[in-house]
């Protein structure tokens, strides 16, 4: 009986593993030269996934790790936030960088309440620039993984301006992928993949 029980447990685990979208590769805060927040932000349970853009023109050849270190400094020294306001930052080459710990609520310059939101930021200004295919693909992978990990559905995925009228974030050229249904369609495909 004990053998059968453990066999069932093993099969169950194998079954669970096969429906999980693979965890994307994420560059840790330590690896990009950031430091942990000294004053943690309020704790949160993730109930939404929200896309942002950087809102500044991204110049080719910009050192992403250097940018992240400057963003962390600015967030703490100028904004007096505990950390970078977002939880993940995605570079044009599709690399995903960890920022604020996901278990801590993010911050915003606008009027919406970011508590409960996993905040995903793609570098660039998508009012004027286009997200790269690699950046979009990484955003889909990350969103699918976050949705699965936090038991969320496609309705829980949106963007900054869906919650705030004070912003054009994530920029019309990224928003177009949400508006057309492409983004959620791709996330859905990742979630259904066996
Ligand atoms: Zn935003």
């Amino acid at each position: 009986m004990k053998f059968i029980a453990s066999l069932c447990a093993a099969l169950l685990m194998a079954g669970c593993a096969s429906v999980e979208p693979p965890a994307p590769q994420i560059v840790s805060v330590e690896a990009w030269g950031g430091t942990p927040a000294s004053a943690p932000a309020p704790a949160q349970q993730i109930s939404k996934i929200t896309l942002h853009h950087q809102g500044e023109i991204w110049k080719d050849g910009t050192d992403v790790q250097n940018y992240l270190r400057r963003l962390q400094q600015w967030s703490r020294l100028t904004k007096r936030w505990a950390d970078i306001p977002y939880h993940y930052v995605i570079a044009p080459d599709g690399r995903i960088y960890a920022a604020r710990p996901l278990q801590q609520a993010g911050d915003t310059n606008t009027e919406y309440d970011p508590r409960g939101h996993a905040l995903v930021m793609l570098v660039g200004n998508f009012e004027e620039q286009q997200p790269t295919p690699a950046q979009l693909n990484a955003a889909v992978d990350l969103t699918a993984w976050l949705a699965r990990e936090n038991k969320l559905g496609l309705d829980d995925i949106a963007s900054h301006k869906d919650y705030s009228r004070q912003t054009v974030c994530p920029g019309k050229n990224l928003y177009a992928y949400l508006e057309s249904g492409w983004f959620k369609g791709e996330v859905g495909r990742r979630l259904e993949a066996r």
Side-chain angles (χ1 to χ4, degrees):
M1 279 305 282
K2 202 176 171 192
F3 168 74
I4 291 169
S6 63
L7 183 68
C8 290
L11 284 170
L12 207 65
M13 280 171 70
C16 287
S18 70
V19 299
E20 295 274 330
Q25 292 258 337
I26 297 173
V27 181
S28 70
V29 171
E30 197 183 17
W32 58 255
T35 54
S38 51
Q44 67 173 358
Q45 288 279 335
I46 299 301
S47 58
K48 291 177 167 48
I49 303 164
T50 307
L51 298 179
H52 297 260
H53 72 164
Q54 178 191 2
E56 289 162 23
I57 297 290
W58 184 263
K59 295 195 187 85
D60 283 348
T62 302
D63 183 324
V64 180
Q65 302 202 1
N66 189 35
Y67 160 72
L68 289 168
R69 291 192 292 269
R70 279 189 285 114
L71 177 61
Q72 193 176 51
Q73 287 288 304
W74 174 83
S75 301
R76 288 179 181 158
L77 301 178
T78 304
K79 299 301 295 185
R80 302 274 164 200
W81 291 329
D83 210 332
I84 291 173
Y86 314 105
H87 299 103
Y88 301 98
V89 175
I90 305 179
D93 65 1
R95 222 162 282 178
I96 303 168
Y97 295 84
R100 180 180 299 228
L102 187 59
Q103 303 75 18
Q104 296 178 16
D107 272 298
T108 177
N109 283 320
T110 58
E111 85 282 21
Y112 86 110
D113 181 354
R115 279 177 297 182
H117 294 239
L119 304 177
V120 176
M121 186 267 263
L122 285 67
V123 304
N125 180 343
F126 303 130
E127 281 292 290
E128 298 179 36
Q129 298 177 293
Q130 287 288 343
T132 68
Q135 219 173 3
L136 283 170
N137 198 46
V140 168
D141 285 344
L142 178 62
T143 300
W145 177 69
L146 285 168
R148 178 69 80 190
E149 290 292 301
N150 296 285
K151 300 181 171 55
L152 305 181
L154 298 180
D155 289 345
D156 302 315
I157 301 164
S159 73
H160 191 172
K161 77 174 185 182
D162 297 314
Y163 297 105
S164 168
R165 289 184 187 167
Q166 296 177 336
T167 185
V168 296
C169 177
K172 61 179 191 278
N173 296 333
L174 175 53
Y175 196 71
Y177 289 95
L178 283 155
E179 243 177 345
S180 70
W182 179 88
F183 192 86
K184 290 188 186 185
E186 287 297 305
V187 171
R189 232 193 295 268
R190 303 287 200 284
L191 292 173
E192 284 159 18
R194 293 287 192 273

